Amino acid sequence: MIAQLRGSIVESNDGAVILDVGGVGYALTVSGKTQAQLALCDPAVVLLTEMIVREDSMTLYGFLDTTERDAFRLLTTVQGVGAKAALS
């Protein structure tokens, strides 16, 4: 599993960020809170990540702090709460 990524923000729009890590661009889904904080950060950031693997997709979610990541993890264990709902 990918626990964190350190790199430069290449693009940031509508709940998604592309982070360049050593020449590889990682697409991360982020919350509105994280995206707003990233707008205030330097282009080089460290994002904690959570990977959700489904039959039809693998999605990386990015967080600036452990509190938000841990809340996301907890919410996704609740039956009926998916990753998108947990992120919002």
Side-chain angles (χ1 to χ4, degrees):
M1 175 158 31
I2 300 169
Q4 79 172 24
L5 294 170
R6 178 187 314 262
S8 305
I9 298 171
V10 175
E11 188 177 322
S12 177
N13 59 36
D14 201 29
V17 170
I18 298 176
L19 193 67
D20 183 308
V21 180
V24 177
Y26 289 89
L28 294 111
T29 302
V30 296
S31 69
K33 174 186 173 188
T34 295
Q35 193 157 28
Q37 289 175 329
L38 285 173
L40 304 173
C41 293
D42 291 333
V45 295
V46 175
L47 287 174
L48 304 172
T49 63
E50 186 71 18
M51 180 182 276
I52 304 288
V53 179
R54 305 257 185 251
E55 284 184 18
D56 59 344
S57 70
M58 290 192 318
T59 307
L60 270 175
Y61 294 88
F63 309 94
L64 277 173
D65 59 55
T66 57
T67 304
E68 188 178 19
R69 186 204 55 205
D70 293 345
F72 176 82
R73 285 179 176 171
L74 182 63
L75 286 168
T76 56
T77 64
V78 175
Q79 186 175 2
V81 177
K84 285 186 180 181
L87 198 60
S88 61

